[in-house]
Amino acid sequence: MNLTYLLLGLLVFASSRGSHARAIDDLDNSIEMVDEKPSSQAMLHTRSRLGQDWIRFIKTPPGKIMQTIGSPVEIVCEIMGSQIPTVQWVVGHLPLSEIDSIESNVISESSSSAIVKVRSVHVIDHMLSEPRTYTCVGRTGSKTVYASTIVYPQTDFKDLVQIREKPFRGPFRPRIVYSERMHLDLVGSNVVLPCKVHARPKAEVTWLNDEGNRIEQSHRIKLLPSGDLLITNIKWEDMGAYKCVARNGMGKDSNDVFLYPVQKEVEDQ
């Protein structure tokens, strides 16, 4: 048994513990619990799926949320899959056929050898005037998963009618709304670790290594204008935790992602 892929299997399942949804081949909203202690047979099954299209929820958003007067709402979902899954949010109740046909507006690097856990946060920065449905849609290749949340405004108050549906005024602290929690790919691949931020005023984004030191740019490592971190030709020594920190005058937010460069298997002679 190849030691690298054994470690890979263990890492994938460790990252999936606590999941409340299963891998879905087509549109499906059913839920089941995942084994807490994966068997060796399950690990072999995971390794056999490397390079294939697959996707699953790691964290589904709650079914219902009540909005507090004057406060933004944050809806979180986490998705794991191959070939760098994309996540987007759809507002309003749509039939499955329309969800399936929506074109993704998320730009992502593509890698057939990658396994990635993505975290997306949808921020509602205004008071709602009526209950509204928000759907987290994850895609990779031909596979799609989805989960919906209904956000309810508090009981109507006549004096609040005029401010509903208008964005909250004033500055607010940064919130990282699109990031990764784990990224596995083959040694030699180019990797983009995203860090999309919602803030007012605009936040400054920095990246730290697993020792807490600021990452300096080099010929292989670039901090992109978007705040994403580009690492080209990843090497085994690049393995470790990377922290994105977004900061403005109102506060800060941070996210940790673990990068795991996978050694290519050597064919038996």
Side-chain angles (χ1 to χ4, degrees):
M1 180 180 291
N2 183 286
L3 179 59
T4 297
Y5 280 88
L6 175 60
L7 292 173
L8 173 58
L10 289 170
L11 183 58
V12 169
F13 274 91
S15 300
S16 301
R17 290 182 62 180
S19 170
H20 298 287
R22 62 183 174 86
I24 298 174
D25 291 335
D26 299 301
L27 282 174
D28 187 350
N29 208 25
S30 58
I31 293 175
E32 67 178 21
M33 295 301 294
V34 176
D35 293 338
E36 286 295 320
K37 295 181 179 180
S39 64
S40 58
Q41 183 178 2
M43 288 189 289
L44 287 171
H45 176 64
T46 297
R47 292 202 303 277
S48 71
R49 296 164 68 190
L50 293 173
Q52 301 177 14
D53 291 349
W54 64 273
I55 189 169
R56 69 184 303 161
F57 274 110
I58 298 301
K59 179 178 183 179
T60 54
K64 299 178 181 179
I65 295 178
M66 179 70 73
Q67 182 178 30
T68 303
I69 293 175
S71 299
V73 173
E74 297 180 357
I75 315 173
V76 181
C77 79
E78 292 187 7
I79 288 174
M80 185 171 180
S82 62
Q83 303 190 42
I84 311 183
T86 62
V87 181
Q88 66 183 130
W89 291 87
V90 177
V91 182
H93 182 72
L94 296 178
L96 304 188
S97 59
E98 291 189 29
I99 290 179
D100 194 28
S101 63
I102 292 173
E103 293 185 3
S104 176
N105 57 8
V106 178
I107 300 175
S108 173
E109 292 290 317
S110 178
S111 174
S112 60
S113 57
I115 294 178
V116 180
K117 184 196 293 185
V118 178
R119 185 173 191 268
S120 180
V121 181
H122 184 71
V123 179
I124 304 171
D125 60 358
H126 57 275
M127 283 299 300
L128 298 179
S129 60
E130 60 184 3
R132 195 157 297 158
T133 300
Y134 297 83
T135 301
C136 174
V137 182
R139 283 197 178 90
T140 184
S142 60
K143 307 299 188 296
T144 304
V145 292
Y146 69 96
S148 295
T149 297
I150 302 176
V151 181
Y152 294 88
Q154 283 193 337
T155 305
D156 286 335
F157 292 89
K158 293 182 179 179
D159 57 342
L160 291 177
V161 171
Q162 298 300 318
I163 66 171
R164 291 186 183 278
E165 305 296 345
K166 293 182 180 180
F168 296 132
R169 296 180 179 178
F172 49 84
R173 74 176 185 88
R175 185 62 170 139
I176 297 174
V177 296
Y178 199 84
S179 57
E180 293 178 358
R181 307 290 281 175
M182 183 190 73
H183 193 120
L184 296 85
D185 208 344
L186 294 175
V187 169
S189 301
N190 297 334
V191 169
V192 175
L193 303 179
C195 187
K196 311 298 184 189
V197 182
H198 182 79
R200 188 190 302 140
K202 183 178 179 180
E204 177 189 11
V205 175
T206 56
W207 283 85
L208 308 178
N209 59 24
D210 53 8
E211 296 178 348
N213 298 322
R214 185 166 180 164
I215 295 176
E216 300 296 335
Q217 300 196 65
S218 66
H219 68 286
R220 284 199 311 114
I221 301 177
K222 303 291 183 184
L223 177 60
L224 304 180
S226 61
D228 301 346
L229 188 70
L230 168 65
I231 307 177
T232 59
N233 188 26
I234 62 171
K235 304 179 184 299
W236 179 252
E237 53 266 31
D238 293 325
M239 181 175 67
Y242 294 77
K243 181 187 290 290
C244 170
V245 181
R247 182 183 284 105
N248 68 8
M250 299 301 296
K252 68 176 183 178
D253 192 15
S254 63
N255 177 76
D256 292 298
V257 53
F258 191 86
L259 176 62
Y260 191 98
V262 180
Q263 297 282 10
K264 297 179 182 179
E265 273 195 306
V266 178
E267 297 293 337
D268 294 335
Q269 300 298 324

